[in-house]
Amino acid sequence: MTVYIEDCLIENFVVTYLIIKCVSFCFKITIKKSRLILSCLLAAVISTFYPLINLNSFLLTIFKLCVGFLITLIDFDKNHFIAKYLAFIFFTALYAGLNIMFYFLIYGTILSYDNFPTYILLFLLVLIYFMVVMCIKFARKKLAISNFVYKVKITNIGKYIMFNAFLDSGNTLLDEDLSPIFIINTNLFNRLYKDISFSDLLTKNFKNLKEPHYIKSAFAYGSGKLLVFCVDNLQIIENDTVKYEFSNAKLGISYSNFNKNFGCDMLLNINAFA
């Protein structure tokens, strides 16, 4: 297998750059360009020429860990340094593992007799970077949402259902009697009232809805007239304990598909927590 030094330098420079960018994105850190270029150049040179060093596998692993420590030291400050170093090692292993996976998918073996051409490898490295960034963004979103998700139990006409609800600070709707209005989507409404169709609502055939009426609304997920009605009881549950309970709770139907963003069928009213 023929090895071209310039290709090794470019590949190792790019992979180190992307790994450091992953760490900085993970910790929301801005790195000085001079430090970033210096660390990437150092990593590229060492990674290109370390195979010439005659070390056994154990010492070679220690050597690589030390190089990673040095690179992390160049790029990042001492605040949470160990976490950043471990993140650097993790993303390095992730890149190596995904590279092996792509190699296996294409060649059907993990025995690397020859690596990808440089342009293909660079494309895979950038692709992996965007995959990692997307995963981090998704994890952050889910973590942020989970802090505002509650279990809710609605009891109505002798039956009850349980589901997840999201505490929406933008939902401050109050009914005429100043009671908070909880916004539900059509999925939850269909679970509550299987005998009331969408066409029934359009023709104002409310059947067994309790105290149906319309109010003017203007909130993040809809505006105009909002159909509001009552259910017998609503409980907001946190850690298996009923935190808030409302009799004759007011529900408003929104036709917006907000469950795609929050994975919940109800937007809790911030006034309910006041």
Side-chain angles (χ1 to χ4, degrees):
M1 180 176 66
T2 304
V3 178
Y4 297 95
I5 293 179
E6 61 273 17
D7 288 345
C8 289
L9 288 172
I10 293 171
E11 292 166 4
N12 286 301
F13 181 95
V14 172
V15 72
T16 304
Y17 175 85
L18 293 176
I19 290 172
I20 294 171
K21 292 295 288 184
C22 284
V23 177
S24 63
F25 182 81
C26 185
F27 288 91
K28 298 182 179 179
I29 300 171
T30 302
I31 305 174
K32 290 184 178 180
K33 290 183 179 180
S34 57
R35 287 189 168 195
L36 183 58
I37 293 174
L38 175 61
S39 63
C40 291
L41 286 174
L42 178 63
V45 172
I46 294 176
S47 298
T48 300
F49 292 101
Y50 85 81
L52 301 177
I53 303 175
N54 187 17
L55 296 174
N56 60 44
S57 58
F58 175 76
L59 292 178
L60 188 58
T61 301
I62 298 298
F63 174 75
K64 290 180 179 179
L65 291 174
C66 291
V67 172
F69 186 89
L70 179 60
I71 293 171
T72 309
L73 192 63
I74 293 174
D75 285 305
F76 304 104
D77 55 32
K78 296 180 180 179
N79 188 27
H80 304 296
F81 179 79
I82 297 300
K84 296 168 187 173
Y85 172 66
L86 292 176
F88 178 86
I89 297 300
F90 170 78
F91 286 121
T92 302
L94 181 64
Y95 265 82
L98 290 175
N99 184 47
I100 293 173
M101 182 192 74
F102 284 122
Y103 190 91
F104 177 79
L105 291 175
I106 294 174
Y107 295 106
T109 179
I110 61 174
L111 300 176
S112 180
Y113 297 106
D114 195 9
N115 208 343
F116 298 112
T118 298
Y119 66 92
I120 294 180
L121 183 59
L122 293 179
F123 171 78
L124 290 177
L125 293 176
V126 174
L127 176 64
I128 292 171
Y129 170 76
F130 283 108
M131 289 170 56
V132 171
V133 169
M134 287 177 60
C135 289
I136 294 174
K137 286 182 177 179
F138 179 78
R140 280 180 182 168
K141 180 180 178 181
K142 287 297 182 182
L143 182 61
I145 289 175
S146 66
N147 293 327
F148 299 95
V149 173
Y150 294 83
K151 284 285 185 184
V152 172
K153 177 181 178 181
I154 287 180
T155 303
N156 192 51
I157 318 177
K159 298 180 180 179
Y160 75 89
I161 59 172
M162 296 191 68
F163 52 91
N164 290 330
F166 180 77
L167 175 57
D168 181 16
S169 60
N171 178 18
T172 59
L173 282 175
L174 297 176
D175 205 359
E176 293 176 355
D177 60 357
L178 300 182
S179 58
I181 297 174
F182 303 93
I183 307 301
I184 66 171
N185 58 19
T186 54
N187 293 333
L188 184 54
F189 181 82
N190 292 333
R191 290 177 62 189
L192 285 168
Y193 300 96
K194 296 181 180 179
D195 59 329
I196 302 178
S197 65
F198 178 70
S199 59
D200 290 330
L201 297 179
L202 290 178
T203 58
K204 297 185 179 180
N205 182 15
F206 299 133
K207 296 184 178 180
N208 58 336
L209 279 185
K210 186 178 179 182
E211 300 179 22
H213 59 283
Y214 286 91
I215 67 166
K216 290 184 179 180
S217 66
F219 59 102
Y221 291 90
S223 60
K225 289 185 177 181
L226 186 74
L227 175 60
V228 177
F229 59 94
C230 294
V231 290
D232 296 337
N233 185 268
L234 184 148
Q235 295 177 339
I236 301 174
I237 302 169
E238 184 178 20
N239 298 325
D240 298 325
T241 303
V242 177
K243 189 171 183 180
Y244 300 97
E245 185 170 4
F246 302 88
S247 298
N248 293 319
K250 305 292 180 66
L251 304 184
I253 306 174
S254 170
Y255 297 100
S256 299
N257 208 4
F258 54 77
N259 59 310
K260 286 187 176 181
N261 291 327
F262 304 120
C264 299
D265 292 321
M266 173 183 280
L267 299 179
L268 295 173
N269 194 303
I270 193 66
N271 293 297
F273 292 75

mmCIF file of all heavy atoms in Angstrom, residues 27-47:
data_model
loop_
_atom_site.group_PDB
_atom_site.id
_atom_site.type_symbol
_atom_site.label_atom_id
_atom_site.label_comp_id
_atom_site.label_asym_id
_atom_site.label_seq_id
_atom_site.Cartn_x
_atom_site.Cartn_y
_atom_site.Cartn_z
ATOM 1 N N PHE A 27 -19.799 21.861 23.893
ATOM 2 C CA PHE A 27 -19.673 22.697 25.090
ATOM 3 C C PHE A 27 -19.990 24.165 24.820
ATOM 4 O O PHE A 27 -19.836 24.998 25.715
ATOM 5 C CB PHE A 27 -18.248 22.588 25.649
ATOM 6 C CG PHE A 27 -17.956 21.270 26.307
ATOM 7 C CD1 PHE A 27 -17.430 20.218 25.578
ATOM 8 C CD2 PHE A 27 -18.222 21.074 27.653
ATOM 9 C CE1 PHE A 27 -17.154 18.992 26.171
ATOM 10 C CE2 PHE A 27 -17.955 19.863 28.262
ATOM 11 C CZ PHE A 27 -17.425 18.818 27.523
ATOM 12 N N LYS A 28 -20.412 24.475 23.587
ATOM 13 C CA LYS A 28 -20.754 25.855 23.199
ATOM 14 C C LYS A 28 -19.588 26.806 23.465
ATOM 15 O O LYS A 28 -19.713 27.828 24.142
ATOM 16 C CB LYS A 28 -22.008 26.330 23.947
ATOM 17 C CG LYS A 28 -23.251 25.523 23.634
ATOM 18 C CD LYS A 28 -24.474 26.067 24.364
ATOM 19 C CE LYS A 28 -25.719 25.276 24.042
ATOM 20 N NZ LYS A 28 -26.916 25.786 24.761
ATOM 21 N N ILE A 29 -18.423 26.440 22.908
ATOM 22 C CA ILE A 29 -17.193 27.208 23.118
ATOM 23 C C ILE A 29 -16.688 27.738 21.774
ATOM 24 O O ILE A 29 -16.751 27.036 20.762
ATOM 25 C CB ILE A 29 -16.096 26.323 23.761
ATOM 26 C CG1 ILE A 29 -16.564 25.797 25.122
ATOM 27 C CG2 ILE A 29 -14.795 27.094 23.912
ATOM 28 C CD1 ILE A 29 -15.636 24.769 25.709
ATOM 29 N N THR A 30 -16.199 28.954 21.789
ATOM 30 C CA THR A 30 -15.549 29.526 20.609
ATOM 31 C C THR A 30 -14.037 29.420 20.780
ATOM 32 O O THR A 30 -13.491 29.865 21.789
ATOM 33 C CB THR A 30 -15.947 31.001 20.410
ATOM 34 O OG1 THR A 30 -17.371 31.080 20.276
ATOM 35 C CG2 THR A 30 -15.292 31.574 19.166
ATOM 36 N N ILE A 31 -13.375 28.817 19.793
ATOM 37 C CA ILE A 31 -11.927 28.599 19.870
ATOM 38 C C ILE A 31 -11.210 29.613 18.993
ATOM 39 O O ILE A 31 -11.663 29.915 17.874
ATOM 40 C CB ILE A 31 -11.560 27.171 19.414
ATOM 41 C CG1 ILE A 31 -12.352 26.135 20.213
ATOM 42 C CG2 ILE A 31 -10.067 26.915 19.575
ATOM 43 C CD1 ILE A 31 -12.156 24.724 19.721
ATOM 44 N N LYS A 32 -10.096 30.127 19.484
ATOM 45 C CA LYS A 32 -9.284 31.040 18.682
ATOM 46 C C LYS A 32 -8.728 30.301 17.467
ATOM 47 O O LYS A 32 -8.278 29.166 17.563
ATOM 48 C CB LYS A 32 -8.131 31.598 19.518
ATOM 49 C CG LYS A 32 -8.570 32.575 20.599
ATOM 50 C CD LYS A 32 -7.353 33.147 21.320
ATOM 51 C CE LYS A 32 -7.777 34.169 22.377
ATOM 52 N NZ LYS A 32 -6.609 34.737 23.087
ATOM 53 N N LYS A 33 -8.793 30.953 16.307
ATOM 54 C CA LYS A 33 -8.348 30.319 15.069
ATOM 55 C C LYS A 33 -6.873 29.923 15.122
ATOM 56 O O LYS A 33 -6.480 28.879 14.594
ATOM 57 C CB LYS A 33 -8.597 31.256 13.884
ATOM 58 C CG LYS A 33 -10.076 31.440 13.558
ATOM 59 C CD LYS A 33 -10.253 32.317 12.331
ATOM 60 C CE LYS A 33 -11.740 32.474 11.990
ATOM 61 N NZ LYS A 33 -11.956 33.333 10.799
ATOM 62 N N SER A 34 -6.064 30.767 15.770
ATOM 63 C CA SER A 34 -4.633 30.462 15.853
ATOM 64 C C SER A 34 -4.385 29.174 16.630
ATOM 65 O O SER A 34 -3.572 28.335 16.241
ATOM 66 C CB SER A 34 -3.891 31.623 16.519
ATOM 67 O OG SER A 34 -4.428 31.891 17.816
ATOM 68 N N ARG A 35 -5.114 28.997 17.745
ATOM 69 C CA ARG A 35 -4.985 27.767 18.532
ATOM 70 C C ARG A 35 -5.473 26.561 17.750
ATOM 71 O O ARG A 35 -4.866 25.485 17.772
ATOM 72 C CB ARG A 35 -5.783 27.891 19.828
ATOM 73 C CG ARG A 35 -5.182 28.803 20.869
ATOM 74 C CD ARG A 35 -5.929 28.670 22.173
ATOM 75 N NE ARG A 35 -5.262 29.297 23.280
ATOM 76 C CZ ARG A 35 -5.549 29.094 24.558
ATOM 77 N NH1 ARG A 35 -6.529 28.256 24.877
ATOM 78 N NH2 ARG A 35 -4.881 29.713 25.514
ATOM 79 N N LEU A 36 -6.593 26.742 17.049
ATOM 80 C CA LEU A 36 -7.182 25.641 16.295
ATOM 81 C C LEU A 36 -6.243 25.177 15.187
ATOM 82 O O LEU A 36 -6.019 23.971 15.008
ATOM 83 C CB LEU A 36 -8.527 26.095 15.711
ATOM 84 C CG LEU A 36 -9.335 25.053 14.938
ATOM 85 C CD1 LEU A 36 -9.640 23.850 15.812
ATOM 86 C CD2 LEU A 36 -10.623 25.671 14.413
ATOM 87 N N ILE A 37 -5.691 26.113 14.449
ATOM 88 C CA ILE A 37 -4.771 25.757 13.356
ATOM 89 C C ILE A 37 -3.515 25.094 13.904
ATOM 90 O O ILE A 37 -3.022 24.095 13.353
ATOM 91 C CB ILE A 37 -4.419 27.015 12.532
ATOM 92 C CG1 ILE A 37 -5.664 27.519 11.794
ATOM 93 C CG2 ILE A 37 -3.300 26.709 11.538
ATOM 94 C CD1 ILE A 37 -5.461 28.830 11.077
ATOM 95 N N LEU A 38 -2.984 25.631 15.013
ATOM 96 C CA LEU A 38 -1.777 25.063 15.613
ATOM 97 C C LEU A 38 -2.004 23.624 16.050
ATOM 98 O O LEU A 38 -1.189 22.734 15.763
ATOM 99 C CB LEU A 38 -1.348 25.915 16.815
ATOM 100 C CG LEU A 38 -0.152 25.378 17.629
ATOM 101 C CD1 LEU A 38 1.087 25.293 16.751
ATOM 102 C CD2 LEU A 38 0.101 26.261 18.848
ATOM 103 N N SER A 39 -3.096 23.369 16.728
ATOM 104 C CA SER A 39 -3.375 22.013 17.221
ATOM 105 C C SER A 39 -3.611 21.048 16.063
ATOM 106 O O SER A 39 -3.181 19.893 16.108
ATOM 107 C CB SER A 39 -4.578 22.025 18.155
ATOM 108 O OG SER A 39 -5.753 22.424 17.469
ATOM 109 N N CYS A 40 -4.284 21.517 15.012
ATOM 110 C CA CYS A 40 -4.551 20.655 13.863
ATOM 111 C C CYS A 40 -3.266 20.323 13.103
ATOM 112 O O CYS A 40 -3.072 19.183 12.656
ATOM 113 C CB CYS A 40 -5.568 21.319 12.928
ATOM 114 S SG CYS A 40 -7.241 21.425 13.607
ATOM 115 N N LEU A 41 -2.396 21.318 12.961
ATOM 116 C CA LEU A 41 -1.097 21.065 12.318
ATOM 117 C C LEU A 41 -0.265 20.082 13.121
ATOM 118 O O LEU A 41 0.346 19.157 12.558
ATOM 119 C CB LEU A 41 -0.341 22.385 12.138
ATOM 120 C CG LEU A 41 -0.849 23.327 11.035
ATOM 121 C CD1 LEU A 41 -0.096 24.645 11.090
ATOM 122 C CD2 LEU A 41 -0.691 22.670 9.659
ATOM 123 N N LEU A 42 -0.243 20.278 14.440
ATOM 124 C CA LEU A 42 0.513 19.375 15.305
ATOM 125 C C LEU A 42 -0.021 17.953 15.198
ATOM 126 O O LEU A 42 0.746 16.986 15.065
ATOM 127 C CB LEU A 42 0.431 19.863 16.753
ATOM 128 C CG LEU A 42 1.136 18.988 17.804
ATOM 129 C CD1 LEU A 42 2.638 18.942 17.533
ATOM 130 C CD2 LEU A 42 0.857 19.520 19.202
ATOM 131 N N ALA A 43 -1.348 17.819 15.252
ATOM 132 C CA ALA A 43 -1.969 16.499 15.170
ATOM 133 C C ALA A 43 -1.697 15.850 13.816
ATOM 134 O O ALA A 43 -1.441 14.643 13.726
ATOM 135 C CB ALA A 43 -3.466 16.610 15.410
ATOM 136 N N ALA A 44 -1.745 16.651 12.754
ATOM 137 C CA ALA A 44 -1.514 16.117 11.409
ATOM 138 C C ALA A 44 -0.098 15.580 11.265
ATOM 139 O O ALA A 44 0.117 14.488 10.720
ATOM 140 C CB ALA A 44 -1.785 17.205 10.371
ATOM 141 N N VAL A 45 0.883 16.336 11.770
ATOM 142 C CA VAL A 45 2.290 15.916 11.660
ATOM 143 C C VAL A 45 2.535 14.655 12.494
ATOM 144 O O VAL A 45 3.144 13.685 12.024
ATOM 145 C CB VAL A 45 3.214 17.054 12.118
ATOM 146 C CG1 VAL A 45 4.664 16.558 12.195
ATOM 147 C CG2 VAL A 45 3.108 18.229 11.155
ATOM 148 N N ILE A 46 2.057 14.661 13.738
ATOM 149 C CA ILE A 46 2.274 13.511 14.615
ATOM 150 C C ILE A 46 1.566 12.271 14.066
ATOM 151 O O ILE A 46 2.142 11.167 14.040
ATOM 152 C CB ILE A 46 1.777 13.813 16.045
ATOM 153 C CG1 ILE A 46 2.644 14.907 16.671
ATOM 154 C CG2 ILE A 46 1.827 12.550 16.913
ATOM 155 C CD1 ILE A 46 2.173 15.351 18.045
ATOM 156 N N SER A 47 0.314 12.432 13.615
ATOM 157 C CA SER A 47 -0.445 11.291 13.107
ATOM 158 C C SER A 47 0.168 10.715 11.841
ATOM 159 O O SER A 47 0.053 9.523 11.568
ATOM 160 C CB SER A 47 -1.893 11.705 12.822
ATOM 161 O OG SER A 47 -2.545 12.140 14.000
#
